[in-house]
Amino acid sequence: MKKQILFLMPLLFINTLYSQVLYEETFDNLTLGNITTDPTGATPGQGNWHVSLQGGGKANIAQESNKGKVLLVETNGAGGMNAKQKNLQTVWGNRTTGNNILLVEYDFYAEELGNEGHTSRFVIETVGGYQLIDMILETKYNAALRVNETKLNVMGTQYKNFNYAQSWFTIKLYVDYNTNTLYFHIPALGFLHKAAYTATFGVVDQVHLRSGGINNTYIVHKYDNVRLAALKTVPPEVLSADDFLANKFNLYPNPAANTLNITNQENIGLQQVEIFDINGRSIKMLSFNNENEIQLNVENLANGTYLLQIQTTEGTAVKKLVKK
């Protein structure tokens, strides 16, 4: 059921952050069975969801043990489902002044069925039809979950693969309209990333839940607790995205005299390393082909402190180097 809640609720994290819940769908107040009677999605179904089905896809409200009611999506072959919640610019416009951080979160569960893999996509569309966020979760038969994040200005960037145990987890997407920054956070998988976006994209208007398979894949996806909220401040644990990534890299020896090794335990691909002096001047830039371990010759650097800006497949990390 669609709910619009326009009062402030204190959050559970530290300091004076407040979350203004603008929209919430738990599916608990909907009737078991088909969420829609119109498979084209032109006419809204239960909870005002516009649900379109392709290739024999099914979208039902189902009872889940220890969870309550959820949206259950089943598709065969190349079928799929697209569920839209529209006209959200109205509730966003009713937010309290100063609450310019949009939080969109939902719970997700995927079965491991078939040999080809299947995808779930979560789209935030703005007024004017721009796709501000198109995040892809691809579940493989070999228990790997691939997270992709696609925006109009950074297309099709793949960030990480995860070993995946079948379980519910929460996905959080933050849009900071003050700084034009996106944050992607999946706490259960240890996934945290930030990226810039183009300010002209505008404000949120629609959210889409999409599920689809390929070839003869049979898929089962479940969704629950879809929520939009307006925040005054990005949570501290999310603002630490840069440190979160940087801590995954090890530099040794450090201090270094001749050779510096850069490694990580998670097979994160390194694409570029740029060395800056303490005055912010670029000293050297080196390119790499997604290696997860590299070696730099620093013999010709003057003794002192430098910052390494490390561009990776998961974003940019900054580490300090001491040359002796």
Side-chain angles (χ1 to χ4, degrees):
M1 168 176 274
K2 182 177 178 180
K3 303 175 183 177
Q4 298 179 17
I5 306 174
L6 300 178
F7 55 85
L8 293 179
M9 299 175 63
L11 290 176
L12 298 179
F13 37 78
I14 306 171
N15 72 33
T16 57
L17 290 178
Y18 287 92
S19 172
Q20 182 183 14
V21 179
L22 305 176
Y23 167 86
E24 188 174 41
E25 176 64 89
T26 66
F27 301 106
D28 288 332
N29 292 323
L30 304 188
T31 302
L32 294 174
N34 289 340
I35 192 172
T36 185
T37 56
D38 179 6
T40 70
T43 303
Q46 294 195 67
N48 209 37
W49 285 93
H50 293 255
V51 178
S52 58
L53 301 171
Q54 301 86 35
K58 300 177 182 178
N60 292 312
I61 304 301
Q63 192 72 36
E64 177 84 357
S65 299
N66 302 318
K67 190 74 174 170
K69 293 178 182 177
V70 302
L71 175 60
L72 169 63
V73 179
E74 299 173 276
T75 70
N76 244 328
M81 177 217 71
N82 185 14
K84 296 183 181 182
Q85 194 61 238
K86 299 183 177 183
N87 300 319
L88 295 172
Q89 77 272 21
T90 301
V91 294
W92 176 251
N94 288 332
R95 73 191 186 283
T96 299
T97 301
N99 287 359
N100 295 326
I101 316 299
L102 170 67
L103 166 62
V104 185
E105 60 181 330
Y106 64 104
D107 295 345
F108 179 72
Y109 178 96
E111 296 280 358
E112 288 184 273
L113 301 169
N115 293 313
E116 298 290 343
H118 45 81
T119 63
S120 170
R121 303 175 71 167
F122 186 80
V123 179
I124 297 178
E125 189 172 297
T126 65
V127 176
Y130 294 106
Q131 287 188 352
L132 177 61
I133 291 174
D134 183 352
M135 192 187 74
I136 304 170
L137 299 176
E138 181 177 300
T139 309
K140 287 289 191 180
Y141 183 69
N142 62 356
L145 181 70
R146 185 170 69 187
V147 177
N148 293 267
E149 169 270 323
T150 304
K151 306 183 302 303
L152 289 182
N153 57 333
V154 183
M155 293 297 291
T157 305
Q158 179 182 324
Y159 290 119
K160 189 164 182 180
N161 293 323
F162 301 92
N163 290 328
Y164 174 62
Q166 290 181 197
S167 61
W168 284 93
F169 56 87
T170 301
I171 298 162
K172 299 185 178 186
L173 306 169
Y174 297 84
V175 183
D176 187 341
Y177 285 102
N178 294 320
T179 63
N180 300 325
T181 305
L182 303 173
Y183 298 88
F184 303 82
H185 194 197
I186 308 178
L189 298 179
F191 178 78
L192 178 60
H193 181 77
K194 80 172 186 179
Y197 73 92
T198 303
T200 55
F201 281 6
V203 301
V204 62
D205 182 44
Q206 300 183 21
V207 296
H208 306 181
L209 304 176
R210 296 180 177 177
S211 289
I214 56 177
N215 297 332
N216 295 317
T217 303
Y218 172 65
I219 73 170
V220 175
H221 289 169
K222 301 174 186 178
Y223 299 89
D224 198 14
N225 297 326
V226 182
R227 187 167 75 100
L228 276 70
L231 312 181
K232 185 170 292 184
T233 309
V234 177
E237 67 270 21
V238 177
L239 284 175
S240 66
D242 289 334
D243 292 337
F244 183 87
L245 179 59
N247 289 337
K248 297 181 179 182
F249 288 90
N250 183 34
L251 273 59
Y252 70 90
N254 194 12
N258 300 306
T259 301
L260 175 71
N261 299 285
I262 304 177
T263 65
N264 72 91
Q265 297 289 322
E266 301 186 20
N267 294 321
I268 299 170
L270 287 90
Q271 300 171 329
Q272 180 179 283
V273 176
E274 190 166 5
I275 303 174
F276 293 87
D277 65 16
I278 57 174
N279 295 314
R281 292 175 298 199
S282 178
I283 304 299
K284 181 186 256 186
M285 184 168 63
L286 300 165
S287 297
F288 302 92
N289 189 26
N290 293 329
E291 294 97 330
N292 56 27
E293 295 186 13
I294 61 173
Q295 193 173 79
L296 303 182
N297 185 342
V298 297
E299 183 178 4
N300 294 328
L301 293 179
N303 292 349
T305 301
Y306 297 86
L307 291 178
L308 304 186
Q309 183 170 286
I310 306 169
Q311 184 65 43
T312 80
T313 51
E314 291 193 23
T316 302
V318 177
K319 300 287 286 189
K320 184 183 291 186
L321 163 67
V322 178
K323 171 63 168 59
K324 66 178 182 179

